[in-house]
Amino acid sequence: MAGLAARARSRCRARLGLIALLGVAVASYAAVPVTGKLAVSARATAAPLELRDMAGKLHRLSDYRGKVVLVNFWASWCEPCREEMPSLNKLKRRMDGIRKGAFVVLAVNYAENDIRIASFLQRQPLEFPVLLDPFSQAWREWKPGLLPASFLVGRDGRLRYRVLGELDWAGAEAEQVVRALLQEKP
């Protein structure tokens, strides 16, 4: 009898611990500000990124050193992600008009299969590589927390800005920030 009561108390404590852990996780997630605004980053070195695109080509963030790179985490089921894509295309075209090849967008898809991504790309063609992260490896290393999430990496390979939530990348503020990053020395 005493053994049954002890096991019941133990299960109850385990459930309470799990509930407390879940509460902390929800609270910390809720504490992430979804601003849709460019936020200055601590200039830490960007996390590694090494993923294949839809054609199987390997892309390493380190290969783009000397360029300004926008790493965008997205998914086709995410409405704000879908709405943000045309503005990323516009910004890429504008920056290519200023200095061709100096600005790169890498769209990291969050754990979707090739068929779903290809279907999306037929409806919304993108002018930059779509990288596959089927096992969420990049997601774990970059810790975006939500979708869409974008990170601007300077020519020196350091993280310069982040955006949690949707942003109009074709807007004046985003263009001004990218232009300034392009002017910096690597």
Side-chain angles (χ1 to χ4, degrees):
M1 212 53 174
L4 282 174
R7 278 190 293 218
R9 280 193 303 273
S10 177
R11 279 194 304 261
C12 184
R13 281 190 203 113
R15 285 185 186 131
L16 286 174
L18 184 59
I19 290 169
L21 182 62
L22 183 60
V24 168
V26 168
S28 65
Y29 182 76
V32 174
V34 181
T35 62
K37 300 240 185 248
L38 285 159
V40 177
S41 187
R43 292 195 89 170
T45 301
L49 183 68
E50 188 171 314
L51 297 170
R52 295 199 179 275
D53 64 19
M54 293 289 290
K57 179 183 176 194
L58 184 64
H59 293 261
R60 290 183 190 92
L61 183 60
S62 60
D63 293 341
Y64 295 102
R65 184 109 179 177
K67 301 174 187 271
V68 175
V69 181
L70 192 159
V71 178
N72 175 265
F73 286 86
W74 71 285
S76 66
W77 49 260
C78 165
E79 186 174 340
C81 300
R82 292 190 310 264
E83 291 175 359
E84 185 176 58
M85 289 302 177
S87 72
L88 286 167
N89 273 341
K90 285 180 188 173
L91 178 63
K92 174 76 172 106
R93 277 193 302 272
R94 281 188 195 149
M95 294 303 107
D96 278 349
I98 294 168
R99 192 186 293 169
K100 183 113 176 110
F103 175 67
V104 176
V105 177
L106 299 175
V108 179
N109 180 270
Y110 177 63
E112 290 185 287
N113 65 44
D114 297 13
I115 296 168
R116 182 175 291 239
I117 298 167
S119 174
F120 171 79
L121 293 175
Q122 284 179 343
R123 293 186 309 275
Q124 173 63 63
L126 299 179
E127 300 170 21
F128 42 82
V130 172
L131 307 184
L132 307 175
D133 191 18
F135 304 110
S136 307
Q137 171 190 345
W139 180 271
R140 284 190 300 276
E141 290 173 358
W142 284 70
K143 299 175 178 55
L146 56 92
L147 294 174
S150 300
F151 300 86
L152 271 170
V153 179
R155 297 174 65 203
D156 59 359
R158 297 177 89 55
L159 197 55
R160 300 299 301 281
Y161 292 88
R162 75 176 196 292
V163 178
L164 300 176
E166 181 183 356
L167 180 73
D168 177 10
W169 287 100
E173 180 187 13
E175 184 175 337
Q176 182 180 7
V177 166
V178 172
R179 281 178 184 255
L181 290 174
L182 288 170
Q183 298 304 315
E184 293 180 357
K185 296 199 185 312

